């Protein structure tokens, strides 16, 4: 009887349509051991579009020193092919990043703050409140410029430094994003520690705490094979947008041991099986992946931006 109740509650929010966002050029490459050149990234993005992908997170406008793999953000963004129906987004840590993205013609920005203080410090070198203060200014500017804004919350289901993250910490940031007027709130399982029950519970809680109809997104990493079960749990909680990367590439330079992203191929097949129409061609996606893996295998080695970052962070704060 109890299961029947749960199912009834969830069918009320099960989405009729979902959006799949490929984050390979950003989250798939930001921790890579080798450089993928701007030309290679553009070729890959074209291959994604050819495969039917319509939403692509192309880069991150962090300081180039912190993430050398994405140091070409400005050039890449300004050279993206303009294709009707294709939306490019980019990760924005602060106002400077926003200005660079806007100048380069990016139409959708992803703001990010972590739900745990120590990850926010490692990732952005400031407190959560300082981040929210800055991001409020960025969101205000973006709205005035007619730019779409996604508000992402990293480490929403667990932190590499602090372990468990209180749901209240996530809800507080989600509410701050709603107050800023973001177009969507995204919860990220940055290190892939979330389980389906936790995903369902937190998204359901967030949905009830936020203004009605605030679109919700999930950014999942895949540890222990939980990611697809987490997708189902998120769907039951009314989540309508999912990030993924081809071949499950990626990690997080500031989250030690972070596993790869949810695989776009696995996600596509999974949601197609459940009746969603993605319009993504898996054979074409496979050749896009092969091309990128080949570029990665033959690229110049990257000198780690993240060890450099940790040294500087330590020297600023010790
Ligand atoms: Mg990630």
């Amino acid at each position: 009887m109890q299961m029947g109740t749960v199912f009834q509650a969830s069918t009320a929010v099960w989405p009729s349509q979902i959006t799949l966002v490929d984050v390979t050029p950003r989250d798939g490459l930001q921790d890579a051991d080798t450089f993928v050149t701007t030309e290679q990234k553009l070729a890959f993005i074209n291959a994604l579009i050819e495969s039917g992908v319509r939403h692509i997170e192309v880069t991150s406008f962090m300081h180039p020193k912190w993430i050398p793999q994405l140091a070409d953000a400005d050039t890449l963004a300004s050279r993206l092919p303009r294709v009707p129906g294709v939306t490019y987004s980019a990760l924005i840590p602060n106002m400077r990043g926003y200005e660079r993205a806007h100048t380069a013609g990016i139409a959708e920005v992803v703001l990010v703050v972590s739900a745990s203080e120590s990850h926010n410090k490692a990732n952005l070198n400031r407190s959560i409140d300082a981040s929210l203060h800055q991001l409020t200014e960025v969101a205000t500017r973006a709205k005035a410029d007619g730019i779409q804004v996604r508000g992402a919350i990293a480490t929403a289901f667990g932190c590499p430094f602090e372990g468990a993250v209180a749901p209240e910490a996530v809800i507080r940031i989600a509410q701050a994003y709603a107050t800023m007027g973001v177009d969507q709130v995204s919860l990220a399982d940055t290190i892939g520690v979330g389980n389906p029950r936790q995903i369902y519970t937190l998204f359901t809680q967030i949905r009830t705490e936020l203004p009605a109809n605030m679109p919700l997104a999930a950014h999942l990493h895949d540890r222990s094979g939980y990611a697809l079960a987490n997708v189902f749990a998120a769907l039951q909680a009314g989540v309508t947008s999912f990030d993924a990367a081809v071949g499950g590439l990626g990690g997080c330079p500031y989250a030690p041991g972070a596993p790869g992203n949810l695989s776009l191929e696995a996600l596509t097949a999974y949601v197609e099986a459940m009746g969603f129409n993605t319009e993504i061609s898996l054979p074409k996606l496979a050749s896009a992946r092969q091309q990128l893996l080949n570029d990665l295998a033959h690229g110049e080695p990257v000198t780690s931006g993240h060890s450099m970052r940790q040294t500087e962070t330590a020297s600023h704060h010790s």
Side-chain angles (χ1 to χ4, degrees):
M1 269 353 276
Q2 201 189 349
M3 285 310 290
T5 309
V6 170
F7 187 68
Q8 209 168 27
S10 56
T11 51
V13 294
W14 182 269
S16 54
Q17 270 192 321
I18 57 172
T19 300
L20 306 191
V21 180
D22 180 274
V23 299
T24 313
R26 198 278 298 173
D27 206 1
L29 296 183
Q30 68 177 7
D31 204 29
D33 296 331
T34 55
F35 281 107
V36 175
T37 68
T38 308
E39 293 299 334
Q40 289 168 336
K41 286 173 184 165
L42 286 167
F44 173 68
I45 288 164
N46 274 307
L48 283 180
I49 295 169
E50 190 60 31
S51 310
V53 176
R54 287 295 171 263
H55 297 266
I56 307 171
E57 190 173 294
V58 289
T59 191
S60 169
F61 285 87
M62 299 283 279
H63 191 290
K65 188 161 71 169
W66 304 145
I67 306 186
Q69 293 89 340
L70 308 183
D72 62 349
D74 309 76
T75 315
L76 177 70
S78 62
R79 292 184 55 195
L80 293 167
R82 299 296 151 194
V83 180
V86 172
T87 303
Y88 302 115
S89 55
L91 202 72
I92 302 298
N94 52 31
M95 187 62 91
R96 176 77 192 112
Y98 173 76
E99 284 166 350
R100 289 169 55 203
H102 188 46
T103 302
I106 291 291
E108 183 175 292
V109 294
V110 183
L111 311 181
V112 64
V113 58
S114 304
S116 53
E117 287 290 352
S118 41
H119 187 264
N120 204 63
K121 185 67 108 180
N123 199 26
L124 299 165
N125 203 20
R126 62 182 76 101
S127 71
I128 291 172
D129 282 339
S131 275
L132 290 176
H133 181 76
Q134 276 213 20
L135 295 180
T136 301
E137 291 175 6
V138 174
T140 304
R141 174 86 73 86
K143 300 308 285 183
D145 290 339
I147 301 295
Q148 288 285 113
V149 181
R150 306 176 70 192
I153 305 174
T155 63
F157 303 95
C159 169
F161 310 114
E162 297 176 24
V165 170
E168 293 70 28
V170 182
I171 292 166
R172 180 176 84 91
I173 297 169
Q175 286 172 328
Y177 274 142
T179 305
M180 290 178 210
V182 301
D183 300 289
Q184 181 190 72
V185 170
S186 172
L187 304 191
D189 187 10
T190 307
I191 54 168
V193 293
N195 65 66
R197 185 176 191 176
Q198 185 188 9
I199 299 276
Y200 177 79
T201 306
L202 188 54
F203 271 112
T204 300
Q205 217 173 340
I206 290 278
R207 196 162 49 80
T208 58
E209 300 282 349
L210 293 184
N213 304 322
M214 170 66 81
L216 297 178
H219 175 100
L220 303 170
H221 283 248
D222 197 9
R223 189 193 298 273
S224 315
Y226 287 8
L228 290 178
N230 288 343
V231 169
F232 184 71
L235 285 166
Q236 284 195 303
V239 172
T240 53
S241 179
F242 293 87
D243 290 354
V246 297
L249 283 171
C252 172
Y254 307 117
N261 286 276
L262 165 60
S263 146
L264 180 61
E265 296 90 327
L267 175 64
T268 300
Y270 187 66
V271 299
E272 287 277 351
M274 291 192 284
F276 293 102
N277 182 14
T278 66
E279 295 185 18
I280 292 173
S281 155
L282 286 172
K284 286 183 180 174
L285 204 53
S287 47
R289 177 184 65 235
Q290 202 43 55
Q291 181 186 333
L292 184 65
L293 292 178
N294 193 53
D295 294 340
L296 279 165
H298 298 101
E300 293 290 321
V302 173
T303 336
S304 173
H306 119 245
S307 50
M308 178 168 63
R309 162 74 181 239
Q310 284 176 344
T311 307
E312 296 216 358
T313 302
S315 67
H316 285 156
H317 294 277
S318 54

